[in-house]
Amino acid sequence: MYLNFQHKNSMNKIKTALLGLGNVNLGLLKILRDKRELLRSQYGVEFLITAVADSSGMAVSESGYRYEDLIALKSNKRKVRDLTGFLPDVPSDVLPLHANAELLIESSPVNLTDGNPGLSATKLALNKGWKVVLANKAPMVFAYDELHRLANEHHTRIAFSATVCGGLPVINVLRRDMAGASLRHFKGILNATTNHILKALETGGTMEEAIKEAQRVGAAEADSMHDVKGHDAANKLYIIMKSFTDFTGTIKDIETNGIQNITAEDLALARQRGNTIKLIASAIPQGNTWKLSVKPTEVKANSFLGQCEGWEMGVEFESDLYESISMKIIEEDPLATSAAVLRDMIEVTK
Ligand SMILES: NC(=O)c1ccc[n+]([C@@H]2O[C@H](COP(=O)([O-])OP(=O)(O)OC[C@H]3O[C@@H](n4cnc5c(N)ncnc54)[C@H](OP(=O)(O)O)[C@@H]3O)[C@@H](O)[C@H]2O)c1
């Protein structure tokens, strides 16, 4: 164990605001509860939750809410409006104007109409010099450049590794471990819900049952059609391209088709050809730009992506310096996404 730093004399208490108290932030609270001592001893950090918001509005506490109390609140299907410190008539998108914090964890639902409440709250937080960690892709999809500019202007940081494949460290590997390389080709299965649906269809299940299962385990988007129609995967591809390449286009430049018309018969026929069907996101250089797509694609059943089954997500990067790097994760439980939020929290508050 090489990370056994002793920070007992220099504890950094970070006042933290949580936007959204669903699967991701609830998982985060459980990790913070269970790893309190490890965070103190190895990283010298403690996260004090001074503001929270859900669909009922926001609440604040100067001394901080106990992790256990917030977990109990949501586990009992109660709302933030039931908390001491609830601020009636204050919408969650202006949370940073009413909270005393230095870090925003943005895990509200994806809103592909205007990005809010996440986008507005993220901008306000950066304008106040707060650090921001995102699980929600929408702010990145609507305003990737603007949010980075704001972070620079206010000498603060924004991290978003949880937005792309949850726990799989796609963004971190690209930006940190492949620094200096140029992407030649990218292919990935970026959405576990649709990969689970395809597996279910192949093994005698129905799309409806598979979606229900994804909703039960907390893997599906609040609107599961974002998954099925390929929008979630397209959002992730967009964030990958903005993070690591010279891509200057918009989400509309990604040709997006979902798996809504794929049948068990299509999958069986593909198998007869030694193939399988996956929802593949891909980026191929085309002249001085990129050909970007998310679509159901027949791939060799024994290839790396062909063997990413069910709850797995996988990526393949080909670059000029590293030839080919492939990696995958099994992510049925959103806890790995909560953990990805935590790794970003540790990183931005170092
Ligand atoms: N689950 C995953 O595996 C996963 C993986 C990667 C990224 N993400 C992203 O992480 C985000 C959160 O996912 P999740 O699974 O935690 O979603 P979720 O379980 O649906 O939770 C969403 C939370 O946001 C709250 N909310 C809804 N409208 C709001 C508003 N206007 N203002 C403030 N809060 C509001 C909800 O309130 P109530 O509690 O009152 O309903 C709920 O607490 C999403 O953007 C998702 O795309 C999720």
Side-chain angles (χ1 to χ4, degrees):
M1 193 66 184
Y2 64 94
L3 259 178
N4 198 16
F5 307 140
Q6 291 299 314
H7 284 285
K8 291 206 167 73
N9 298 326
S10 58
M11 190 59 59
N12 194 4
K13 275 199 181 188
I14 309 288
K15 290 182 179 171
T16 304
L18 303 182
L19 180 55
L21 277 180
N23 295 305
V24 173
N25 277 355
L26 209 51
L28 174 67
L29 287 164
K30 289 176 185 166
I31 299 174
L32 292 176
R33 176 196 63 193
D34 297 344
K35 294 200 176 262
R36 196 187 311 252
E37 280 314 314
L38 179 142
L39 291 169
R40 282 183 181 153
S41 63
Q42 292 194 354
Y43 302 98
V45 73
E46 188 182 329
F47 297 97
L48 191 67
I49 311 299
T50 55
V52 289
D54 67 6
S55 64
S56 72
M58 70 169 286
V60 292
S61 164
E62 264 309 303
S63 55
Y65 292 107
R66 291 176 67 239
Y67 305 146
E68 293 81 355
D69 292 344
L70 294 173
I71 294 165
L73 178 89
K74 295 312 283 189
S75 304
N76 292 324
K77 306 270 176 243
R78 290 166 65 217
K79 297 278 182 183
V80 161
R81 65 169 166 259
D82 301 320
L83 287 172
T84 307
F86 178 63
L87 302 178
D89 305 323
V90 178
S92 59
D93 58 352
V94 294
L95 177 148
L97 298 180
H98 298 266
N100 179 11
E102 55 205 289
L103 170 64
L104 173 69
I105 311 302
E106 205 290 85
S107 307
S108 64
V110 171
N111 170 351
L112 292 181
T113 306
D114 61 10
N116 288 322
L119 178 58
S120 157
T122 299
K123 284 187 196 173
L124 288 172
L126 293 173
N127 272 315
K128 288 186 81 175
W130 292 13
K131 298 171 176 84
V132 175
V133 170
L134 300 170
N136 177 9
K137 292 157 278 279
M140 284 285 127
V141 171
F142 275 90
Y144 187 96
D145 293 331
E146 183 186 359
L147 296 179
H148 280 82
R149 182 177 50 71
L150 280 178
N152 281 338
E153 273 172 22
H154 294 277
H155 308 289
T156 188
R157 296 183 64 189
I158 182 163
F160 49 95
S161 81
T163 63
V164 178
C165 299
L168 191 66
V170 176
I171 297 297
N172 292 351
V173 166
L174 284 170
R175 302 218 308 181
R176 186 193 58 208
D177 302 317
M178 289 173 64
S182 300
L183 195 64
R184 293 283 189 239
H185 188 187
F186 167 78
K187 267 193 292 186
I189 295 172
L190 305 181
N191 180 279
T193 294
T194 41
N195 212 36
H196 165 70
I197 293 171
L198 291 171
K199 178 78 184 170
L201 288 177
E202 238 188 339
T203 50
T206 67
M207 189 168 295
E208 292 68 33
E209 286 161 3
I211 291 173
K212 276 202 184 116
E213 173 67 0
Q215 286 167 333
R216 189 188 64 74
V217 300
E221 286 297 306
D223 176 354
S224 59
M225 282 303 117
H226 284 328
D227 298 300
V228 173
K229 293 187 171 173
H231 299 305
D232 178 72
N235 289 342
K236 290 167 178 166
L237 179 60
Y238 175 81
I239 296 171
I240 290 171
M241 297 308 289
K242 290 293 289 181
S243 307
F244 192 65
T245 73
D246 56 0
F247 174 65
T248 54
T250 73
I251 191 78
K252 293 191 178 128
D253 295 315
I254 303 179
E255 177 199 347
T256 305
N257 291 297
I259 61 160
Q260 61 274 26
N261 297 322
I262 299 294
T263 62
E265 198 185 0
D266 296 331
L267 288 153
L269 288 170
R271 281 284 166 193
Q272 284 172 16
R273 293 187 282 268
N275 296 337
T276 185
I277 299 172
K278 298 287 179 187
L279 184 64
I280 299 288
S282 83
I284 304 168
Q286 198 173 56
N288 58 1
T289 176
W290 292 88
K291 181 171 169 34
L292 304 174
S293 66
V294 170
K295 56 185 175 195
T297 306
E298 221 170 290
V299 296
K300 287 269 164 239
N302 63 1
S303 63
F304 172 73
L305 292 178
Q307 291 181 64
C308 283
E309 299 268 17
W311 292 113
E312 292 177 329
M313 293 177 280
V315 290
E316 284 183 345
F317 307 119
E318 279 176 34
S319 67
D320 55 347
L321 302 183
Y322 292 97
E323 297 192 15
S324 178
I325 293 181
S326 312
M327 54 181 186
K328 68 176 184 176
I329 188 171
I330 301 176
E331 190 169 327
E332 175 177 354
D333 189 321
L335 193 70
T337 295
S338 310
V341 169
L342 176 68
R343 75 182 169 214
D344 282 352
M345 291 164 72
I346 293 170
E347 178 61 27
V348 299
T349 56
K350 257 181 197 166

